[in-house]
Every structure is written in structure tokens, then in C-alpha cells.
Amino acid sequence: MWNAVNQQISEALHQPFSFNHKEQLRGCDNEKRFYIANDDHRYIVKVDLLSALERFESESKVRDLLIRDSDFLVADTVTIGTTLEFCFMVLEVIPKQSEQENWQECGVLLAKMHNRFEQEMFGLEQDSYIHHLVQPNQWHKKWETFFAEERIGWQLQLLKEKGIEYVDIDDFVITIKSLLPHHSKPSLLHGNFWKGNIYFSDGKPCVDNPACYYGDREVDLAMSELFAPLPESFYDAYQNVFELPVGYEIRRPIYQLYPLLLHANLYAGDYLNQVQKRVNEILK
């Protein structure tokens, strides 16, 4: 396989490439990650079974979208390739420098990205992924319909297929629709925006593991506050550029249900209890 990786990178660079250093990094699910380098170039290589090819191609497309429509630093896709058994994705390396964190600039960049409104519908032309779980992105004119059906209803159905059922899904989807604003405008979302996917290079904010689509900007903010809230300077800077509308605090628990459902589907454990608690709170 590594001969194929060298060959694909060589074709992308239009010059010979062969790594002389390889180090395995922490992976996720079946996906393995490696750091490879020679004297001139450094890359991250994601490796998975052939069935993951569509996921790699989707990630490459949403990376391109963030590069085009945001001012965040985003690692570019160098190449995607396959062997008889595996597929692989090669990403450029942006060096991380945690001692130069600039959370104020991060808040400014997210607010500017959210404020572009270049799309008239909610969704994306292809599905996106968080880890190995697909995010359906079928286009919808109404935000409340998109979020209730393509996010909450979809995740509840996945859990139901595992024998875990919290509520009547159809009834709960109707409830979610009734609780969401009908005036939202489609912003480009990172889609997996939490502290673990944000880092800095020379003080410049970088984002990783995107799961982009067009939706209500409050989704990114709500997720950022769920697991590891960002520094106050981030939220203050965001508000100064693009103030959140009245009622965000009421909608935040609804938007945070989605990442809780995702984690329940991915990892089970206490996330199942957190979902039940959040569902009960929303129904009240």
C-alpha cells in the first residue's frame, strides 16, 4: 500500500516523493492515521477499508468548501487513492503551536463565515460524516424541517435500530419543528465545531474534521459550548461581529441534543443517559 501512497503523492506534486519517516498516530474506529515525511514534505495519511472511500471523498469536498468560503486555515487534501483492500487520504500538515492561541480571532473568523449567506436552502449537495456516521444533507427550504428530520429524526432512528427508543420519533420530530425559528438563514457550518477540532498555527486559527452543510449558525455555537466550552474571548469576539438573536439560550439545548445523539450512537455508555435527560427537558 505504501508504494501506492508514494506514487499518488508523487503524481500530485509532479515530482518524485518517497517518505523516510513513518509514525502511527491515534486513529478512530477502523481508520488508521499515520504521519509520514521526508526532508521536504510532511503529510497525514488516513487509511481505512475500501468502503470508506465515499467518506474520504466527502471530507475532501467539505475541506475545499471551508478553504474557499472561510478564512480559517484548513489542511488541504493532497490526494485520495485505493489499493485492492484499502483506501487512503493524504492531507497536508499545518504545524500546531498551542502557545500562540488566539481565540478572539477564532471567534471573528467563525462569525464572518456564518455571515456570508451565499446559499438559499439548507443542506449540501452531498452527505457529510462525523467519524463513520453519515449526516444526511438533503436540501430543504425550511430549517426546522431540515434539522428535525435530517439530524434529530435520523439519529433517533439509528438508535431505534439498535433497540434503543426514547420517544415516538414522528411525534418528537413534530415537536422539534415547533420549537425552532422559521426565519433562519443558511450559513456555512463547520458541523463538528468543538475545541478538539480547533488549533492554532502562528496564532492563526485552524479547523479540522469538518462535517459541513448549510444551516442555522447557532448549531456551531451550541456544539462549541457542550463538551469543552471555548474561552470567553471567543464568544465575545463572535458577538461583536455577528450578534446572536434573542432566544438562542432557549434553542441551545435543542441544538446540543444532536451531538449527544451522535455520541450515543458512536459510543453508547453514559451518552445514552444524557440523551434521555435532554429529551425529557425538551419535552417539558
Side-chain angles (χ1 to χ4, degrees):
M1 188 198 77
W2 292 106
N3 286 335
V5 171
N6 279 331
Q7 181 179 349
Q8 291 267 139
I9 295 175
S10 297
E11 292 175 1
L13 294 177
H14 303 291
Q15 66 182 56
F17 172 86
S18 180
F19 62 84
N20 53 31
H21 174 80
K22 177 164 70 78
E23 175 184 351
Q24 186 164 356
L25 308 174
R26 182 180 178 182
C28 180
D29 303 319
N30 291 325
E31 180 184 288
K32 293 181 172 57
R33 298 188 181 198
F34 299 87
Y35 170 83
I36 65 172
N38 63 13
D39 294 339
D40 301 311
H41 301 281
R42 298 171 296 167
Y43 302 110
I44 298 295
V45 183
K46 298 183 178 185
V47 181
D48 209 330
L49 300 175
L50 274 175
S51 57
L53 180 60
E54 183 176 345
R55 174 165 56 85
F56 284 168
E57 291 174 339
S58 171
E59 181 180 339
S60 178
K61 289 177 181 177
V62 297
R63 284 179 180 277
D64 289 344
L65 191 57
L66 278 179
I67 291 169
R68 187 191 73 187
D69 290 344
S70 84
D71 294 318
F72 286 107
L73 290 181
V74 182
D76 202 358
T77 307
V78 177
T79 187
I80 296 174
T82 61
T83 65
L84 291 176
E85 297 181 71
F86 301 103
C87 61
F88 58 87
M89 179 180 191
V90 182
L91 301 172
E92 68 173 340
V93 172
I94 299 176
K96 298 181 181 181
Q97 296 166 321
S98 58
E99 69 276 4
Q100 296 186 47
E101 293 182 348
N102 187 343
W103 288 103
Q104 181 177 351
E105 179 66 9
C106 186
V108 169
L109 295 189
L110 186 68
K112 287 182 176 179
M113 183 180 85
H114 284 169
N115 200 21
R116 288 183 172 168
F117 300 127
E118 296 178 352
Q119 177 55 247
E120 296 182 356
M121 297 181 70
F122 300 96
L124 198 66
E125 58 267 19
Q126 81 271 343
D127 294 338
S128 49
Y129 291 79
I130 293 183
H131 297 301
H132 66 273
L133 285 184
V134 65
Q135 288 194 131
N137 286 329
Q138 181 178 340
W139 291 110
H140 287 270
K141 290 183 179 179
K142 295 181 179 179
W143 166 246
E144 63 272 19
T145 302
F146 176 90
F147 188 79
E149 294 182 2
E150 306 291 339
R151 292 294 178 263
I152 302 301
W154 173 260
Q155 290 296 323
L156 286 172
Q157 181 62 37
L158 292 179
L159 286 168
K160 184 178 180 180
E161 291 169 4
K162 298 175 182 177
I164 303 167
E165 189 169 6
Y166 296 100
V167 289
D168 181 280
I169 296 176
D170 291 337
D171 289 345
F172 194 67
V173 163
I174 292 172
T175 298
I176 293 296
K177 288 180 183 179
S178 71
L179 294 172
L180 291 183
H182 301 273
H183 57 269
S184 298
K185 296 173 68 176
S187 296
L188 176 62
L189 306 183
H190 178 277
N192 192 11
F193 194 78
W194 74 287
K195 195 170 186 178
N197 287 331
I198 306 165
Y199 62 101
F200 297 86
S201 182
D202 287 331
K204 297 178 181 178
C206 314
V207 290
D208 201 7
N209 299 317
C212 297
Y213 62 99
Y214 291 93
D216 185 344
R217 64 193 177 108
E218 294 178 358
V219 170
D220 274 349
L221 275 297
M223 187 171 187
S224 77
E225 295 182 88
L226 179 60
F227 299 120
L230 306 181
E232 283 302 315
S233 58
F234 166 85
Y235 299 104
D236 290 343
Y238 185 98
Q239 287 278 67
N240 288 336
V241 175
F242 194 14
E243 187 174 2
L244 286 167
V246 174
Y248 166 65
E249 293 78 9
I250 299 172
R251 294 182 292 274
R252 179 170 53 202
I254 300 171
Y255 289 147
Q256 289 178 341
L257 174 60
Y258 179 60
L260 289 175
L261 284 166
L262 271 167
H263 280 69
N265 267 305
L266 287 167
Y267 309 117
D270 186 56
Y271 291 115
L272 296 172
N273 298 325
Q274 292 185 51
V275 167
Q276 182 68 75
K277 181 180 179 181
R278 187 60 60 96
V279 167
N280 293 341
E281 290 172 354
I282 290 171
L283 288 175
K284 289 179 181 178

